[in-house]
Amino acid sequence: MAAIPTTFVLDAILPSEDLQAMGRKRYQRPSVLRTRAKGRRRWYFRYVRDVVGAEGKIVREEAPPMYLGWCDEVGKRAAEKLRDEFLDTINEPQVVIPSQIPMADVFARYKAIELPLCKPTTVRNYTYCIDSDLIPVFGKLKLYQVEVDAIQAWLNTMMDKAPNTRKFKLRVLTAVIEFAAKLKWTRERNPCKDVRVGDIGGQRWDLRALDIDEVRRLLAIADQRRPDIANLIRIEVYCGVRVGEARAIRWNDIVDGRLRIDEHMNQENLVSVPKSAAGVRFVPLGPVCIARPEGAKDTDFVFDIPYETIRYHVRHCLDAAGIKVGKGWCTHGFRRTHATLMKAAGARALAEQLGHATEQMSEHYVRESFADHAAAVGRIAKMIERVM
């Protein structure tokens, strides 16, 4: 677990001598006023708030007017109730002051306290996202300044990226702010919940599964060009393992026609445990026959191939086999192919084979082929023609 930073801004201001000197919870109840502008009028009130000034000193300043609603929609008593709900937080310095700590310190605390409790893959992905995406944008802001408009503007700059990429970055920021709320550094509603990720029409990732004929053609080309890549594809299609799990297979993991999956290798060649406890499993190896090189040790990897090399040769073999795949199709498509073929072969439960915690997750991997859809369209046409 990473060491908790010792020079943390919150330690200097809460509970500081300045805060203790402020005494009991301050009480303010300003009058609800109406704007004087011509046309539609609004309810508002003015208030003062505590802020952290130079050298961590706590000072009071007048905040911008707080608007409560339009006068023709909200009565004065309702506006006063909204004012009181807002001031319940403002009148408590122990809540307002922490919300003004820099986001850089919030990120540091999150990485030191909360993140080590997550899975290794989550730690790696969240840490990278925080360091490369969140800190450069929000690191200089204070916690209370991370509002809906700032987050929305940040997401709008990434409209060229995949929706899932934007959702992931927003999910990381959401987790950090929820961590701050859990420590009672803020009582505001998490602004990430009011942000829209957005999508550009006409863009969609290719998540289809290959049909049997396409798999045959692909393996025929791969056997000619790179037999080791062909065997890797067979492991993925026949056994349904992830590409990272296939790369982490050692020779002593092949026992009596079964394949033991208990490790995962990421793109940086770092070996870790699978994504979840369900990922540790035995799967039938089937007809896959991989010749063990002479002198290979039990602990040597069966597929000692860099991830980028796998992607390169798979893509070129697909092109050579005349198999057209769209944007976003990758080696994970072999797991979808396995799940689809298993379902077509009569398998009822896929979670244990695929290493998922629930059957619902495995069902998401099952796809219907173009031939299945074409046959269904033909049956619909016959039914309509008979009726007519």
Side-chain angles (χ1 to χ4, degrees), residues 215-371:
V215 174
R216 289 196 186 114
R217 286 153 45 199
L218 176 63
L219 290 175
I221 295 295
D223 280 330
Q224 296 175 1
R225 297 190 171 191
R226 285 290 298 262
D228 54 347
I229 298 292
N231 285 331
L232 181 66
I233 295 174
R234 285 188 173 91
I235 288 288
E236 293 190 68
V237 174
Y238 294 176
C239 305
V241 300
R242 302 173 177 88
V243 64
E245 294 172 339
R247 294 180 62 218
I249 296 173
R250 305 174 191 268
W251 289 110
N252 59 2
D253 291 327
I254 302 175
V255 182
D256 298 331
R258 297 193 305 169
L259 186 61
R260 179 176 61 198
I261 305 296
D262 58 3
E263 288 183 322
H264 182 279
M265 182 183 294
N266 63 16
Q267 298 181 20
E268 291 78 27
N269 300 327
L270 299 177
V271 179
S272 63
V273 297
K275 297 179 65 176
S276 66
V280 180
R281 64 199 187 278
F282 281 92
V283 297
L285 190 56
V288 180
C289 182
I290 304 175
R292 179 170 178 169
E294 185 177 352
K297 299 179 181 178
D298 288 345
T299 56
D300 289 344
F301 293 114
V302 175
F303 301 105
D304 192 8
I305 313 172
Y307 179 74
E308 290 301 327
T309 302
I310 296 172
R311 289 188 57 185
Y312 173 84
H313 286 287
V314 167
R315 180 64 66 168
H316 279 264
C317 288
L318 287 169
D319 292 339
I323 302 172
K324 302 299 182 182
V325 293
K327 183 178 180 181
W329 200 96
C330 62
T331 55
H332 212 62
F334 295 134
R335 267 170 70 78
R336 289 189 287 270
T337 300
H338 170 82
T340 302
L341 296 179
M342 285 280 285
K343 204 70 173 180
R348 291 177 295 178
L350 299 176
E352 186 174 354
Q353 178 75 10
L354 294 176
H356 289 146
T358 63
E359 287 294 334
Q360 289 80 0
M361 175 62 71
S362 298
E363 289 294 334
H364 288 303
Y365 280 68
V366 178
R367 296 289 189 272
E368 289 193 4
S369 66
F370 180 83

Side-chain angles (χ1 to χ4, degrees), residues 138 141-152 191-192 195:
F138 302 103
L141 300 179
K142 295 181 179 179
L143 179 56
Y144 77 93
Q145 292 175 323
V146 182
E147 298 179 341
V148 175
D149 55 349
I151 301 173
Q152 189 68 69
C192 296
V195 174

Side-chain angles (χ1 to χ4, degrees), residues 9-227:
V9 173
L10 185 60
D11 297 336
I13 64 174
L14 183 68
S16 65
E17 295 180 359
D18 295 318
L19 183 58
Q20 295 174 3
M22 295 177 68
R24 297 184 301 273
K25 182 173 81 170
R26 178 167 43 81
Y27 183 79
Q28 56 177 326
R29 197 169 183 268
S31 300
V32 173
L33 307 174
R34 268 191 281 198
T35 56
R36 297 181 179 180
K38 294 182 179 179
R40 203 175 183 189
R41 304 175 71 180
R42 290 193 292 176
W43 299 111
Y44 77 98
F45 70 94
R46 297 183 179 275
Y47 67 99
V48 295
R49 62 185 177 187
D50 301 312
V51 298
V52 180
E55 301 180 357
K57 299 294 183 180
I58 298 175
V59 297
R60 291 176 179 173
E61 68 174 14
E62 183 175 351
M66 173 59 64
Y67 293 96
L68 302 171
W70 300 102
C71 296
D72 56 357
E73 295 180 353
V74 180
K76 186 171 184 179
R77 288 193 177 183
E80 290 175 342
K81 185 177 180 180
L82 294 174
R83 172 205 60 190
D84 295 339
E85 292 176 355
F86 178 80
L87 291 177
D88 283 343
T89 299
I90 296 299
N91 285 332
E92 297 184 21
Q94 65 269 30
V95 174
V96 177
I97 297 302
S99 69
Q100 298 177 42
I101 66 175
M103 279 298 296
D105 293 328
V106 179
F107 290 130
R109 275 292 171 97
Y110 178 80
K111 291 197 297 182
I113 297 175
E114 189 78 3
L115 205 52
L117 303 177
C118 301
K119 294 180 291 187
T121 52
T122 302
V123 173
R124 183 184 69 251
N125 295 336
Y126 274 46
T127 300
Y128 180 82
C129 179
I130 290 173
D131 294 340
S132 62
D133 297 309
L134 300 184
I135 291 180
V137 177
F138 302 103
K140 295 182 179 179
L141 300 179
K142 295 181 179 179
L143 179 56
Y144 77 93
Q145 292 175 323
V146 182
E147 298 179 341
V148 175
D149 55 349
I151 301 173
Q152 189 68 69
W154 167 63
L155 282 178
N156 291 346
T157 63
M158 297 184 289
M159 292 303 294
D160 58 325
K161 300 184 182 297
N164 284 342
T165 300
R166 299 195 298 274
K167 289 178 183 178
F168 171 74
K169 297 180 187 298
L170 180 62
R171 185 163 67 247
V172 177
L173 181 60
T174 302
V176 173
I177 297 179
E178 287 180 352
F179 168 75
K182 184 171 68 174
L183 297 183
K184 298 183 179 179
W185 294 347
T186 178
R187 287 186 183 175
E188 298 293 332
R189 172 183 169 85
N190 193 327
C192 296
K193 296 181 178 180
D194 299 319
V195 174
R196 295 185 59 188
V197 174
D199 197 359
I200 299 177
Q203 290 190 357
R204 183 179 180 182
W205 297 112
D206 187 353
L207 302 179
R208 74 181 183 91
L210 303 182
D211 59 35
I212 294 178
D213 180 63
E214 289 174 329
V215 174
R216 289 196 186 114
R217 286 153 45 199
L218 176 63
L219 290 175
I221 295 295
D223 280 330
Q224 296 175 1
R225 297 190 171 191
R226 285 290 298 262

